[in-house]
C-alpha cells in the first residue's frame, strides 16, 4: 500500500513544474476524446492541470469548463486558454450544482482521486444520461528501448498502487467500457527527459537522485540507434474508460 503522506505529496507535486508540464506532456488522441464526449455539449474537464486535455476538448464540445486544485497548474491553463472558465476545486468537492454537465472527463488523474467520494461528486454534477470518462497516456512498453527507459526512470519512490483497475464503479453509473488507441509523441533526447521530469515521483525526490536518473537515461538514449539521430517517435497508448449515468 502506498504511504498516504507520499501519495498526497505526489498528487500535489505537479504545479512545481507546471510550465514544463504544459510543454512536454503528450496530448490525447482526438479519437479518444471524441469517443468519450460524443455529441454532448457541456463538458467538465476535472483535474484539468495545465489544459492538455482541455485544448482537445475545445475541438469537440461547445462549452468546456475546467476544475483544478493546484494554483500553479490552473494559472498555466488560464495563460494558455484564457477563454476557458477554470475554477479551483477537487474531484471530491466539485464547485457546481447538481446536473450541471453532460460529460465529466479527466485526463491522467482518476488515480489521484479518493474514488468513492469522487464518483459520488461526479455523478451528482452529471445529468441523467451524461457520461463520465477517464483517459490515461502511457508508454508502449512492447517497444524495447522505451521499456528500458521506463526501467531506468524508476526512483526510490515506489510505483503507485491500484493503477491496473481503472474501472469506475458507482451505483449511479452503468457498466464501464474501455478502449485503447496508439499514438506517438515526437521527442529528442532532451525533450524526452523534460517529459519524464514531469512525473510526480521524479518531482518529489531530491535533486541529486533526479540528476543521477537523468544521466543514466541520457547516456542510454544517446547509445540507441532509435533515439540518437535527432527527433524520434515515443510510441504511446491511450486508454479510455467511459460509463453513463443512469
Ligand atoms: C497528471 S496531472 C493531469 C493534468 C491534466 N488533466 C492532463 O491531462 O495533463 C494530475 C492533476 O490532478 C490534479 N489533482 C490531484 N489530486 C486531485 C483531486 N483530488 N481532485 C482534483 N484534481 C486533483 C493535480 O493537481 C494535477 O493537475
Amino acid at each position: 500500500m502506498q504511504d498516504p503522506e507520499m501519495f498526497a505529496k505526489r498528487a500535489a507535486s505537479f504545479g512545481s513544474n507546471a510550465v514544463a508540464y504544459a510543454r512536454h506532456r503528450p496530448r490525447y488522441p482526438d479519437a479518444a476524446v471524441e469517443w468519450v464526449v460524443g455529441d454532448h455539449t457541456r463538458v467538465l474537464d476535472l483535474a484539468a492541470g495545465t489544459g492538455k486535455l482541455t485544448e482537445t476538448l475545445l475541438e469537440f464540445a461547445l462549452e468546456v469548463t475546467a476544475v483544478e486544485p493546484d494554483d500553479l497548474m490552473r494559472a498555466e491553463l488560464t495563460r494558455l486558454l484564457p477563454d476557458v472558465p477554470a475554477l479551483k476545486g477537487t474531484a471530491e468537492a466539485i464547485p457546481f450544482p447538481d446536473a450541471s454537465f453532460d460529460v465529466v472527463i479527466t485526463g491522467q488523474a482518476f488515480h489521484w482521486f479518493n474514488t468513492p467520494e469522487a464518483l459520488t461528486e461526479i455523478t451528482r454534477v452529471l445529468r441523467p444520461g451524461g457520461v463520465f470518462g477517464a483517459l490515461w497516456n502511457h508508454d508502449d512498453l512492447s517497444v524495447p528501448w522505451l521499456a528500458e527507459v521506463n526501467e531506468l526512470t524508476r526512483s526510490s519512490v515506489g510505483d503507485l498502487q491500484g493503477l491496473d483497475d481503472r474501472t469506475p464503479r458507482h451505483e449511479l453509473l452503468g457498466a464501464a467500457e474501455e478502449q485503447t488507441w496508439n499514438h506517438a509523441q515526437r521527442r529528442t533526447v532532451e525533450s524526452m527527459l523534460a517529459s519524464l521530469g514531469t512525473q510526480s515521483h521524479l518531482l518529489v525526490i531530491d535533486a541529486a537522485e533526479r540528476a543521477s536518473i537523468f544521466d543514466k537515461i541520457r547516456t542510454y538514449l544517446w547509445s540507441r540507434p532509435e533515439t540518437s539521430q535527432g527527433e524520434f517517435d515515443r510510441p504511446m497508448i491511450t486508454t479510455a474508460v467511459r460509463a453513463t449515468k443512469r
Side-chain angles (χ1 to χ4, degrees):
M1 184 62 191
Q2 181 93 35
D3 164 24
E5 220 172 282
M6 178 53 82
F7 184 88
K9 194 173 171 188
R10 288 179 64 176
S13 67
F14 298 100
S16 65
N17 208 16
V19 174
Y21 191 104
R23 193 150 171 217
H24 293 292
R25 278 281 177 129
R27 285 177 61 117
Y28 299 92
D30 289 357
V33 176
E34 196 174 11
W35 183 76
V36 172
V37 173
D39 56 5
H40 292 298
T41 304
R42 297 172 304 163
V43 177
L44 173 63
D45 184 359
L46 182 60
T50 61
K52 296 248 59 126
L53 176 57
T54 325
E55 64 185 14
T56 305
L57 282 171
L58 291 170
E59 293 167 25
F60 295 103
L62 295 178
E63 288 173 34
V64 181
T65 304
V67 164
E68 163 60 39
D70 187 286
D71 293 339
L72 295 169
M73 295 294 267
R74 212 174 53 258
E76 191 60 12
L77 187 156
T78 297
R79 191 178 71 78
L80 296 168
L81 304 170
D83 295 335
V84 175
L87 279 75
K88 189 178 178 87
T90 65
E92 298 80 11
I94 301 174
F96 285 95
D98 298 0
S100 294
F101 298 102
D102 305 320
V103 175
V104 175
I105 190 167
T106 188
Q108 215 79 16
F110 188 50
H111 53 281
W112 293 119
F113 303 164
N114 175 321
T115 315
E117 283 179 29
L119 287 174
T120 296
E121 272 297 84
I122 288 164
T123 52
R124 180 184 67 74
V125 300
L126 273 177
R127 67 157 171 82
V131 176
F132 170 61
L135 275 66
W136 288 268
N137 272 324
H138 37 102
D139 285 328
D140 182 349
L141 299 180
S142 69
V143 178
W145 72 261
L146 195 48
E148 181 60 21
V149 168
N150 272 254
E151 281 304 311
L152 294 171
T153 307
R154 288 179 184 279
S155 67
S156 57
V157 176
D159 289 340
L160 281 180
Q161 306 293 312
L163 262 180
D164 292 340
D165 185 10
R166 303 165 192 273
T167 312
R169 291 187 186 84
H170 189 275
E171 57 187 3
L172 292 178
L173 287 178
E177 301 168 87
E178 182 172 322
Q179 197 157 310
T180 58
W181 293 261
N182 287 87
H183 64 120
Q185 186 184 25
R186 204 75 187 140
R187 296 285 81 185
T188 61
V189 169
E190 286 308 316
S191 67
M192 182 76 192
L193 288 167
S195 293
L196 298 172
T198 65
Q199 294 180 4
S200 64
H201 70 109
L202 293 180
L203 293 172
V204 299
I205 58 176
D206 65 46
E209 184 182 357
R210 191 164 47 242
S212 147
I213 290 171
F214 279 3
D215 278 351
K216 277 188 263 174
I217 300 171
R218 186 180 283 110
T219 303
Y220 178 73
L221 290 173
W222 282 119
S223 79
R224 292 288 305 209
E226 300 91 335
T227 55
S228 57
Q229 312 295 320
E231 283 197 344
F232 55 87
D233 273 348
R234 172 193 188 185
M236 307 211 73
I237 298 171
T238 295
T239 301
V241 292
R242 69 178 180 194
T244 301
K245 183 181 171 185
R246 296 181 212 280

